[in-house]
Amino acid sequence: MSAKRRRPAAPRGSHGDTGWFTHDRFGLFIHWGLYALPARHEWVRHNEQITNEEYEKYFKHFDPDLYNPTLWAQTAARAGMKYFVVTTKHHEGFCLWDSKLTDYKALNTPAGRDVLTPMIKAFRRENLRVGLYHSLLDWHHPDYVIDPHFGPLRAHPDREKLNRGRRQKKYAEYLHGQVRELLTQFGPVDILWFDFSYPKPDGSGKGREDWQSEKLLRLVRRLQPKVILNDRLDLPDAWDVKTPEMIQPSEWMKVDGKPVVWEACQTFSNSWGYHRDEGSWRSTEELIRTLIDCVSKGGNLLLNVGPTGRGEFDERTMARLNGIGEWMKRHSRSIYGCTQAPEEFACPKNCALTYNPEKKRLYVHVLAWPYKHLLLEGRAYSERVEYAQLLNDASEIKTGADDWYVRQMGGVTGAVLLNLPLEKPNVAVPVVELFLK
Ligand code: GLC
C-alpha cells in the first residue's frame, strides 16, 4: 500500500436534481460558434482539415449584429421548451463567454462582447432552466494532443512532430479552469453537458485520463452539487442522464436492466451548427412526433437550433419552432409531467401513449387518423376510463362499448370504443385525453 494520502473518491451514481427535468421534458439545444460562418457543419474544421491559421478568418469576421437573446428565449418559451443547453465552447475551441483563460473568445472578435451572459439572463427571464454544453475536445488549444481520430490535423504526416511539447495534462487544467468559471460565474446551472469521450483499447483515443474526469467530477460536484451531469466523461457510473444523439431509442433506456433518466438530442437536419445548404429538414409534424415518442418512452427531447452568423434563428427554424408552439399551446398537457403509460394499457395501432400519474390521465396521440372509431382493447380501459375528450378543444369523445362495432372491428367485448369525428382535427397530431378512475 502506498503511504500517499488518497484523494476522496469522486461521487459515483446520480446526484443531480432530475425532478424538474423529468417533468419538463422539452428543451432547446443551441450550437453557436465560429462555425456558423462557414455554415457547413460544426465539424467543418475536422471535415475539411482546416488549420488554426486558416480558421482565423472566421474569428476575424464573427459579428452577430442581429443577435437578440430575448427573441431566442421568447421563441423557445413559445415552442413550449422549459430549458436550454448552449455550446459555451464546441470542438473548435472558441468561447462564447469572457473566459479569463483564453483570448479565443467572442469578446475579441468584431462582436466585441461576451455573448453568453445575456443569453443566460434572457432565458432565465423567460423561466427556462440553464444548461451549459462544454466540449472536452479542443482543436485550437496548443496543449491538446493531436490524435489520429478527430481534429483538423489528425492525418497530418508530421503529427508526431506536431505533438512534441504538447501536454494533455496542461490542457486538462485549462479545461477544469474553464469549467470552474462556468460553474461560478453564472449562478445556479441546471445542466452540465460535456462532449465527448472516445477511448480506444490501444490508447489512441481520448477518455477519462485525458480529461482527468475523476478530478473534474469532484470539482463539478463541489461547485454545483445539484447540477444534472450528462454521460460523456467516460465515467460509466457517474452521470445523471443518458444522451442518445440522432437516434430514437426503441424503448425506455435501461442500464443494467433498470430504466434510467434519458434525453434524446436531435437536430432539424443533419448538422448541429448552422448549415446553409443542408436540405434534409424534418417537418414540424415529424418533430412533434419525436417529442411524443420520447415522452411515451419516459424520456426527454433536446431539440437543436444552429443560429446564423448574424445571430438569428433562420426562417426554417422559426417555422418549425412556431409550429411546435402552436401544437404545444393546446397539447402540452400530454407532455409536461407525463411519462410512459402503465403496461396494462395496450397501445392501439398507429398511436403513442403518454400518462400523467399525478392527474391519472392517459393521452392517446393519434398518429394516423382512423375511420371514425378507435378501439382501446383490454380490461384496463373498460374498467378505468371515466371520460374522454379531444385535447385541442376539450370536445367530448363519446366512449362506448357497443358490442356490434367492437365485433365489426374484430375487437373483444369489453373494449372501449372512441367515437372520433370523421374529420381529423386541424392540429399536427390530435390527442385524446382519457380521464381515469
Ligand atoms: C457530438 C458531436 C457534435 C454535437 C453533439 C451533440 O458528439 O461532436 O458536434 O455537438 O454530439 O450531441
Side-chain angles (χ1 to χ4, degrees), residues 29 31 42-43 90-91 133 193 195-196 232 245 265 272:
F29 214 173
H31 276 66
E42 77 286 355
W43 274 63
H90 203 263
H91 311 334
Y133 166 111
W193 223 100
D195 194 35
F196 61 89
R232 298 189 182 184
E245 94 183 39
C265 48
W272 299 87

Side-chain angles (χ1 to χ4, degrees), residues 268 274-276 281 305-308 312-319:
F268 291 129
Y274 176 65
H275 197 312
R276 184 189 58 206
W281 282 58
V305 164
T308 70
E312 286 193 294
F313 293 179
D314 76 352
E315 76 278 1
R316 297 168 292 187
T317 304
M318 290 304 288

Side-chain angles (χ1 to χ4, degrees), residues 3-229:
K4 253 202 197 158
R5 269 266 205 91
R6 278 272 179 91
R7 284 195 156 280
R12 319 307 293 180
S14 165
H15 294 263
D17 172 14
T18 53
W20 68 267
F21 185 76
T22 54
H23 175 277
D24 288 354
R25 292 300 186 203
F26 191 26
L28 176 72
F29 214 173
I30 301 175
H31 276 66
W32 200 37
L34 298 180
Y35 44 81
L37 297 189
R40 43 183 197 271
H41 206 280
E42 77 286 355
W43 274 63
V44 64
R45 282 209 63 182
H46 166 99
N47 295 342
E48 299 177 17
Q49 308 193 12
I50 306 174
T51 62
N52 279 354
E53 296 69 41
E54 290 169 281
Y55 205 65
E56 198 58 18
K57 64 180 175 217
Y58 304 122
F59 186 81
K60 284 200 189 124
H61 290 96
F62 186 72
D63 186 12
D65 58 329
L66 299 177
Y67 173 48
N68 180 346
T70 302
L71 276 185
W72 291 15
Q74 287 170 346
T75 303
R78 243 187 296 122
M81 290 149 162
K82 294 288 191 184
Y83 60 98
F84 85 113
V85 179
V86 59
T87 53
T88 56
K89 173 191 93 168
H90 203 263
H91 311 334
E92 64 177 5
F94 176 71
C95 299
L96 297 187
W97 82 104
D98 182 15
S99 171
K100 295 295 174 273
L101 303 174
T102 185
D103 293 332
Y104 203 50
K105 54 189 172 187
L107 191 82
N108 295 332
T109 66
R113 62 198 190 279
D114 161 8
V115 290
L116 181 63
T117 305
M119 198 187 308
I120 292 177
K121 284 193 180 148
F123 277 82
R124 281 210 181 107
R125 272 200 304 273
E126 297 300 320
N127 289 320
L128 275 87
R129 301 244 187 187
V130 176
L132 304 179
Y133 166 111
H134 194 70
S135 175
L136 298 166
L137 288 69
D138 192 319
W139 299 330
H140 186 267
H141 195 277
D143 277 309
Y144 187 87
V145 170
I146 305 157
D147 63 58
H149 303 287
F150 300 125
L153 299 173
R154 67 191 178 285
H156 196 287
D158 291 329
R159 193 165 52 81
E160 283 316 312
K161 213 153 113 203
L162 293 176
N163 269 333
R164 271 184 222 146
R166 286 178 180 253
R167 288 174 52 212
Q168 185 69 23
K169 262 259 167 68
K170 271 190 84 184
Y171 168 71
E173 278 168 29
Y174 170 75
L175 169 68
H176 293 203
Q178 289 207 315
V179 170
R180 179 187 291 279
E181 288 185 347
L182 292 173
L183 296 184
T184 51
Q185 292 174 14
F186 300 96
V189 174
D190 300 292
I191 301 172
L192 186 58
W193 223 100
F194 287 122
D195 194 35
F196 61 89
S197 298
Y198 48 104
K200 305 279 177 205
D202 64 358
S204 63
K206 285 198 175 65
R208 64 190 86 151
E209 274 303 306
D210 306 277
W211 322 128
Q212 295 286 300
S213 295
E214 291 277 345
K215 195 171 166 201
L216 188 54
L217 177 65
R218 276 195 296 271
L219 178 74
V220 169
R221 284 293 169 231
R222 193 166 66 241
L223 297 176
Q224 299 252 2
K226 289 280 162 211
V227 70
I228 295 177
L229 185 66

Side-chain angles (χ1 to χ4, degrees), residues 263-275:
E263 172 195 67
C265 48
Q266 298 287 2
T267 60
F268 291 129
S269 64
N270 261 327
S271 174
W272 299 87
Y274 176 65
H275 197 312

